[in-house]
Amino acid sequence: KVDEDSIKKTVAENPVVVYSKTWCSYSSEVKSLFNKLGVSPLVFELDEMGPQGPQLQKVLERITGQHTVPNVFIDDKTTKEGIKVANTLAAVQFLTDADTLKLYRKGELEPLLSEAKAK
Amino acid sequence: KVDEDSIKKTVAENPVVVYSKTWCSYSSEVKSLFNKLGVSPLVFELDEMGPQGPQLQKVLERITGQHTVPNVFIDDKTTKEGIKVANTLAAVQFLTDADTLKLYRKGELEPLLSEAKAK
Ligand SMILES: N[C@@H](CCC(=O)N[C@@H](CS)C(=O)NCC(=O)O)C(=O)O
Ligand SMILES: N[C@@H](CCC(=O)N[C@@H](CS)C(=O)NCC(=O)O)C(=O)O
Ligand code: FES
């Protein structure tokens, strides 16, 4: 079943989720960026899911306002929102800056951010 | 008619030719790079040509060994070959380095290159 609830559930249960297309270089760049940082995102290849692919893309557009790939969700407990949507390759590059992600993985980012409430 | 001769003729008659797809970011990057450098390439959007698009892609694969987009031809009189094929975005970024292209447009690149026969 492809609807908003199923996507929200997937995103809530996995720290990093990438909606991608196998032949798209921007999508590959995002996937390899995560791999380089030692993160194994949950990846959905929209072009390999049959009719569910375009359906999923429509629901993603409703949730994030974006119909393009890569469409990335990063669970960021550091912010109240819980789930941060990185809509573009550039945003992912920013969010997954090696230092930030390493700190986050080690649980050191959160204390830093709460100390610097100003963030 | 889409065959090797028609592509070779197009490429011979136009200094810069880009085979692209409208929704592909890599293709858009190549097109905007040329625009930034004041070059108006001849652009073929393979996804807007009906059945000729995939046919053209097959012939391009035969000529350049590459089935992907962007597929770029830059007429480079500075080399014996005449037509330089820049198969990737990175190659285009290298070839269209602002200085190189400006020199070329002003006719100053060729003398420089022939002086430096070593190139
Ligand atoms: N700026 C966006 C660009 C995303 C984008 O344009 N994606 C293209 C593929 S590279 C796409 O999904 N195109 C389909 C469409 O535009 O309908 C990013 O950095 O992710
Ligand atoms: N490294 C190449 C990548 C080209 C590429 O993979 N293009 C993709 C679209 S971004 C493509 O044509 N994919 C179709 C396919 O792989 O069949 C470049 O820089 O141009
Ligand atoms: S389809 Fe070319 S970069 Fe995405």
Side-chain angles (χ1 to χ4, degrees):
Chain A
K1 211 175 84 240
V2 172
D3 61 14
E4 285 188 35
D5 288 340
S6 67
I7 292 181
K8 287 189 173 150
K9 188 166 170 314
T10 305
V11 163
E13 289 170 355
N14 295 281
V16 182
V17 182
V18 176
Y19 296 92
S20 157
K21 285 186 183 167
T22 55
W23 35 261
C24 166
S25 300
Y26 261 38
S27 299
S28 324
E29 279 184 44
V30 164
K31 287 179 286 187
S32 60
L33 183 65
F34 282 125
N35 291 336
K36 220 171 58 195
L37 296 170
V39 174
S40 313
L42 179 63
V43 175
F44 291 90
E45 299 291 358
L46 297 177
D47 59 317
E48 295 191 328
M49 306 168 69
Q52 282 205 330
Q55 281 169 15
L56 196 43
Q57 229 176 329
K58 277 212 189 65
V59 180
L60 282 168
E61 182 163 16
R62 268 210 310 277
I63 299 177
T64 68
Q66 177 199 342
H67 68 278
T68 55
V69 289
N71 201 335
V72 181
F73 293 82
I74 299 179
D75 174 8
D76 184 347
K77 301 238 188 318
T78 52
T79 59
K80 293 276 171 297
E81 308 144 41
I83 300 284
K84 179 175 282 174
V85 175
N87 274 345
T88 66
L89 179 60
V92 172
Q93 280 162 343
F94 174 72
L95 280 172
T96 53
D97 169 77
D99 300 335
T100 324
L101 213 76
K102 258 184 215 120
L103 278 178
Y104 178 37
R105 291 293 144 197
K106 288 194 292 190
E108 290 173 22
L109 187 59
E110 287 161 69
L112 271 187
L113 280 171
S114 45
E115 262 165 46
K117 267 275 172 277
K119 267 249 174 188
Chain B
K1 209 172 88 250
V2 172
D3 60 13
E4 285 188 40
D5 289 339
S6 66
I7 291 181
K8 288 190 172 149
K9 188 165 172 308
T10 305
V11 163
E13 290 171 353
N14 295 282
V16 181
V17 182
V18 176
Y19 295 93
S20 155
K21 287 187 183 165
T22 56
W23 37 259
C24 165
S25 300
Y26 261 37
S27 299
S28 325
E29 278 183 44
V30 164
K31 287 179 287 186
S32 60
L33 183 66
F34 282 124
N35 290 336
K36 222 171 57 194
L37 297 171
V39 174
S40 313
L42 178 63
V43 176
F44 291 90
E45 299 291 0
L46 297 177
D47 58 318
E48 295 191 330
M49 306 169 68
Q52 284 205 332
Q55 281 170 14
L56 196 45
Q57 229 176 328
K58 275 211 191 61
V59 180
L60 281 168
E61 181 161 17
R62 268 211 311 277
I63 300 177
T64 68
Q66 177 198 339
H67 68 278
T68 56
V69 289
N71 201 334
V72 182
F73 293 80
I74 297 178
D75 174 7
D76 183 351
K77 301 236 187 320
T78 52
T79 59
K80 293 277 170 296
E81 309 144 38
I83 301 285
K84 181 175 282 174
V85 175
N87 272 344
T88 66
L89 179 61
V92 172
Q93 280 163 344
F94 175 71
L95 281 171
T96 53
D97 169 75
D99 299 337
T100 321
L101 213 77
K102 261 185 214 122
L103 280 177
Y104 178 37
R105 292 293 145 198
K106 289 192 292 188
E108 291 173 23
L109 186 62
E110 288 161 67
L112 271 185
L113 281 171
S114 46
E115 263 164 47
K117 267 276 173 281
K119 266 248 176 188

